[in-house]
Amino acid sequence: LKASRHLLIQYLRKEDSEMQKTWLKTGINFTMEGAGHDKKVRRSFANVDKDVSAVQVEELARALEMLLEDEVTEAQVVTTEQVTLN
């Protein structure tokens, strides 16, 4: 068991240069609060550009606040990549 654990740790510590990453998708999740709901509401957007900037996320958050009359309390940019170890 110790040998397996040691091999797993070595495997996980491989340098990034030994991995090839392929971008698959990016999305944005917004958490919002407002007078119309008792709990926080989550709004998700798919098909986001892989190079989305913080400014673009902020601008989308402000637009959502104006349209929905809710407050964006959190934003998460979620990127999925396929990793191939060399």
Side-chain angles (χ1 to χ4, degrees):
L1 185 62
K2 269 188 170 180
S4 296
R5 183 175 170 219
H6 180 69
L7 287 173
L8 178 60
I9 291 170
Q10 282 182 330
Y11 178 77
L12 293 174
R13 288 185 179 165
K14 285 186 176 270
E15 297 293 325
D16 281 346
S17 62
E18 296 181 32
M19 294 188 296
Q20 180 180 358
K21 295 180 182 180
T22 304
W23 174 82
L24 298 176
K25 62 183 177 180
T26 299
I28 303 174
N29 299 323
F30 291 102
T31 303
M32 305 181 78
E33 293 183 35
H37 358 270
D38 294 335
K39 297 182 179 183
K40 294 179 181 181
V41 174
R42 187 173 178 175
R43 307 234 184 248
S44 300
F45 295 85
N47 301 317
V48 176
D49 188 88
K50 71 177 181 176
D51 298 319
V52 64
S53 70
V55 171
Q56 291 170 317
V57 173
E58 179 72 24
E59 289 174 350
L60 181 54
R62 296 304 141 239
L64 287 171
E65 288 178 336
M66 288 189 309
L67 290 170
L68 301 173
E69 297 180 359
D70 290 339
E71 178 186 356
V72 174
T73 58
E74 182 180 354
Q76 297 176 337
V77 176
V78 181
T79 299
T80 303
E81 296 176 327
Q82 180 178 356
V83 177
T84 305
L85 302 175
N86 296 328

